[in-house]
Amino acid sequence: MGAGPAGSTCAAFCAAAGLRTLLIEREKFPREKVCGDCLNPSCWPVLRRLGIAERVRQLPHGILNAVEFIALGGRKVIIDLPPGEESEIAIKRSLFDMLLMSRARELGTQVYEETTVTALTSSNGWKIETARGATFAARTLVGGDGRNSTVARLCNWLPRPARERVALQAHIALPAGFGNRVVLQFLPEGYSGQAPVNRDELNLCLVSNPSNMAALRHWAEKQFGLQQDHQWHTITPLTRATLVPARKKLFLVGDAARVVEPFTGEGIYYALRSAELAAQAIVKVIRGNHDVDPASEYAEAHAAIYRGRLWINRLARAAVLSPRITSFLIHAARTQPILRSLTAKIVTPQL
């Protein structure tokens, strides 16, 4: 369920392994999604194994050579990102997600768009009921349907969201001379993420407490010359309790299992890699060729991909809750390699 990066990737790997695979998506693709649109270098090995790395490069995108941290008061720290063919890029989710869903279909996945799941029943397998009247049966189920997962909600696992922060996102005209960089700018009202997604457009994200969002929007309108009625996409929550990623014949991938900041490139990597790991576990479940419980094995591997890599989520949260502390870290980074070493860890490609 869910044809975003996590759901489509898991479906593609399952279909490639010869499994009969069904992908159910509530919306009609292509569609935009609130995200920073960044793919960090860790995504490339998964995209190669999926057989679409070159096709991703052929889509319109922005190349990101550096990340610029801007503290309160305007002090900056610029950190170079790894160069080369598998560098960090920014690409619209409408394009990226459409390519992933198309790849799943190419490999044999049956895709149902504009289909809302209304009920789930578990016995020996899963019975899936939809608003359109169609009913499906499956031996395993994957929730790849995001931070407000329908799968988790229908199973009564979805915790009450913490509404401490809200995010807005839009694609706007690329400012002249912006360059090949991603910007994380910390402000009294929250923070802003900015990245060019092609030669003409900038992905602009705003994150704030609900009470401060009007002021942060006013800053963005003044900073980028936007009209007051400019259309924004919104998303919440940005923080949510972690869920158990696997329970017998149910697997959660991407943000359905663990919500991360959508503006750093980390979220898409976690979506792709967790989906690949879940597909490997599902193949073992279906074929029965395993000594260790595949769900437990997936849960351990899932935890490992996050270990030591969630610092930027804590930094982004602190940017809203404690902007002065965050700015102090940026000031300290001018003499101490704090941000440099942490950034290097995030953008070091994983297997």
Side-chain angles (χ1 to χ4, degrees), residues 9-32:
T9 297
C10 191
F13 279 118
C14 285
L19 304 186
R20 294 181 60 197
T21 307
L22 174 69
L23 183 59
I24 302 176
E25 167 57 40
R26 181 180 59 189
E27 299 186 39
K28 175 69 176 177
F29 278 33
R31 56 89 181 97
E32 290 298 345

Side-chain angles (χ1 to χ4, degrees), residues 173-255:
L174 182 65
F178 190 88
N180 297 332
R181 60 186 175 130
V182 56
V183 173
L184 291 177
Q185 185 165 359
F186 303 100
L187 301 153
E189 304 83 6
Y191 75 92
S192 170
Q194 306 149 32
V197 293
N198 52 50
R199 294 180 180 179
D200 303 311
E201 293 177 283
L202 181 77
N203 180 307
L204 174 62
C205 299
L206 307 176
V207 181
S208 178
N209 292 321
S211 60
N212 290 330
M213 184 53 77
L216 189 57
R217 279 187 61 171
H218 180 72
W219 170 85
E221 289 162 4
K222 183 178 179 181
Q223 182 77 8
F224 296 97
L226 305 178
Q227 298 296 318
Q228 290 185 2
D229 60 354
H230 187 85
Q231 295 298 306
W232 297 84
H233 301 287
T234 185
I235 192 171
T236 191
L238 298 185
T239 301
R240 196 203 69 199
T242 301
L243 299 181
V244 176
R247 309 188 190 202
K248 295 185 178 179
K249 295 183 179 181
L250 172 60
F251 297 81
L252 299 178
V253 293
D255 273 356

Side-chain angles (χ1 to χ4, degrees), residues 32-33 35 37 91-94 169-173 195 197 201-204 230-231 233:
E32 290 298 345
K33 190 78 173 178
C35 182
D37 290 340
I91 184 170
K92 281 187 171 185
R93 284 287 300 277
S94 56
Q169 181 265 342
H171 292 115
I172 66 172
V197 293
E201 293 177 283
L202 181 77
N203 180 307
L204 174 62
H230 187 85
Q231 295 298 306
H233 301 287

Side-chain angles (χ1 to χ4, degrees), residues 35-40 43 88 261-270:
C35 182
D37 290 340
C38 293
L39 302 185
N40 78 27
C43 297
E88 182 155 349
E261 294 286 329
F263 310 123
T264 62
E266 283 290 277
I268 293 179
Y269 164 66
Y270 295 135

Side-chain angles (χ1 to χ4, degrees), residues 5 30 66 78 121 137 142 169 195-196 200 215 227 230 257 262 301 312 315 341-342:
I78 300 175
T121 306
V142 176
Q169 181 265 342
D200 303 311
Q227 298 296 318
H230 187 85
I312 201 164
L315 178 63
S341 61
L342 290 174

Side-chain angles (χ1 to χ4, degrees), residues 37-326:
D37 290 340
C38 293
L39 302 185
N40 78 27
S42 295
C43 297
W44 292 110
V46 184
L47 294 172
R48 283 201 308 272
R49 292 191 288 271
L50 199 56
I52 59 169
E54 188 56 39
R55 290 162 66 177
V56 172
R57 294 188 189 98
Q58 292 172 0
L59 294 173
H61 65 272
I63 296 174
L64 304 176
N65 296 328
V67 55
E68 182 176 297
F69 296 91
I70 305 179
L72 294 176
R75 180 167 289 188
K76 302 177 181 180
V77 171
I78 300 175
I79 301 174
D80 291 335
L81 296 174
E85 190 176 58
E86 297 193 348
S87 62
E88 182 155 349
I89 69 170
I91 184 170
K92 281 187 171 185
R93 284 287 300 277
S94 56
L95 301 177
F96 185 67
D97 291 8
M98 187 69 188
L99 176 58
L100 287 171
M101 188 180 74
S102 298
R103 182 57 173 158
R105 184 181 276 120
E106 288 173 3
L107 291 167
T109 298
Q110 189 174 4
V111 179
Y112 281 77
E113 297 178 78
E114 299 180 286
T115 302
T116 300
V117 172
T118 56
L120 297 172
T121 306
S122 173
S123 56
N124 189 35
W126 289 93
K127 179 182 177 183
I128 304 157
E129 299 176 50
T130 70
R132 302 175 71 174
T135 301
F136 305 98
R139 292 178 62 184
T140 61
L141 177 65
V142 176
D145 49 351
R147 62 193 61 225
N148 296 307
S149 169
T150 296
V151 170
R153 177 175 57 80
L154 292 176
C155 292
N156 295 316
W157 297 341
L158 193 65
R160 176 174 293 183
R163 291 188 58 82
E164 60 172 4
R165 294 176 300 154
V166 62
L168 302 182
Q169 181 265 342
H171 292 115
I172 66 172
L174 182 65
F178 190 88
N180 297 332
R181 60 186 175 130
V182 56
V183 173
L184 291 177
Q185 185 165 359
F186 303 100
L187 301 153
E189 304 83 6
Y191 75 92
S192 170
Q194 306 149 32
V197 293
N198 52 50
R199 294 180 180 179
D200 303 311
E201 293 177 283
L202 181 77
N203 180 307
L204 174 62
C205 299
L206 307 176
V207 181
S208 178
N209 292 321
S211 60
N212 290 330
M213 184 53 77
L216 189 57
R217 279 187 61 171
H218 180 72
W219 170 85
E221 289 162 4
K222 183 178 179 181
Q223 182 77 8
F224 296 97
L226 305 178
Q227 298 296 318
Q228 290 185 2
D229 60 354
H230 187 85
Q231 295 298 306
W232 297 84
H233 301 287
T234 185
I235 192 171
T236 191
L238 298 185
T239 301
R240 196 203 69 199
T242 301
L243 299 181
V244 176
R247 309 188 190 202
K248 295 185 178 179
K249 295 183 179 181
L250 172 60
F251 297 81
L252 299 178
V253 293
D255 273 356
R258 185 166 194 167
V259 169
V260 298
E261 294 286 329
F263 310 123
T264 62
E266 283 290 277
I268 293 179
Y269 164 66
Y270 295 135
L272 299 178
R273 183 59 179 147
S274 65
E276 183 179 27
L277 292 169
Q280 293 169 359
I282 290 166
V283 170
K284 294 179 181 179
V285 170
I286 298 299
R287 294 178 178 167
N289 56 345
H290 54 84
D291 298 321
V292 179
D293 175 40
S296 299
E297 194 173 48
Y298 169 67
E300 293 178 7
H302 184 272
I305 66 175
Y306 288 86
R307 195 169 296 130
R309 294 176 62 92
L310 291 173
W311 69 272
I312 201 164
N313 294 289
R314 300 185 186 99
L315 178 63
R317 185 172 183 270
V320 174
L321 304 181
S322 308
R324 294 186 181 278
I325 294 176
T326 309

